[in-house]
């Protein structure tokens, strides 16, 4: 069985101002993934926070959510160029972890391809990647307020998570690590 290289990128808003906000749930989950995947701690790189091993590379976008596409595309390109063989470059998979307003808090949804479904961060990523490039999206549920009023939704996604919600995201990282392992093995 051939194992594929995996690049897991999170999109959200930058720290420290937006650390552990609902809108940055992807970042919160990603910060816990090294524990689940037995990776080294994150370090600062020129393009964002990075934790890497021969099996997985985790990268956290330093940009604002809605303009995260170009940094993701650049980091993905850098990752591909670091792979030694054409076979690895062809087999490599991009996984983007993001917040999902239409999913209950703490749930995940895995999708390959498709539209951004109104998520501006995903729209930015889709526009910045080569046309038609498929990638796996892992939506991390943050729930939604009862109202659909855009101002109230914006305030909701920008609120800080409670300590219990942050702990829940650490557990969600376990689910995301299983998804990453399945993709690496070619099961997904």
């Amino acid at each position: 069985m051939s194992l594929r290289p995996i690049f897991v990128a999170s999109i959200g808003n930058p720290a420290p101002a937006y650390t552990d906000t609902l809108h940055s749930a992807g970042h919160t989950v990603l910060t816990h993934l090294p524990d689940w995947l037995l990776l080294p701690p994150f370090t600062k790189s020129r393009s964002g926070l990075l934790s890497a091993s021969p099996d997985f590379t985790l990268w956290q976008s330093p940009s604002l959510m809605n303009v995260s596409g170009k940094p993701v595309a650049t980091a993905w390109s850098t990752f591909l160029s670091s792979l030694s063989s054409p076979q690895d470059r062809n087999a490599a998979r991009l996984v983007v972890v993001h917040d999902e307003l239409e999913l209950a808090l703490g749930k995940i949804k895995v999708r390959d391809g498709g539209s951004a479904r109104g998520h501006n961060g995903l729209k930015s990523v889709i526009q910045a990647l080569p046309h038609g490039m498929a990638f796996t999206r892992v939506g991390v549920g943050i729930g939604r307020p009862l109202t659909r009023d855009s101002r109230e939704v914006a305030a909701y996604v920008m609120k800080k998570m409670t300590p219990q919600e942050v702990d829940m995201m650490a557990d969600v990282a376990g689910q995301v690590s299983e998804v990453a392992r399945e993709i690496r093995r070619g099961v997904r």
Side-chain angles (χ1 to χ4, degrees), residues 11-13 18-29 65 98-101 103-106 119 140-145 152-162 165-166 168-169:
I11 57 175
N13 287 319
Y18 299 101
T19 300
D20 294 336
T21 59
L22 290 171
H23 205 32
S24 293
H27 286 341
T28 304
V29 167
M65 170 73 82
H98 61 90
D99 65 312
E100 183 58 59
L101 192 62
L103 198 57
L105 184 70
H119 193 291
V140 175
I142 62 170
R144 82 156 23 257
E152 289 187 40
V153 170
Y156 174 79
V157 300
M158 293 306 196
K159 80 174 186 159
K160 291 274 188 183
M161 292 181 207
T162 66
E165 290 168 336
V166 173
M168 182 184 291
M169 293 300 144

Side-chain angles (χ1 to χ4, degrees), residues 119-136:
H119 193 291
N120 290 327
L122 286 176
K123 283 181 192 175
S124 179
V125 171
I126 290 167
Q127 290 170 354
L129 290 171
H131 180 71
M133 182 186 145
F135 63 96
T136 301

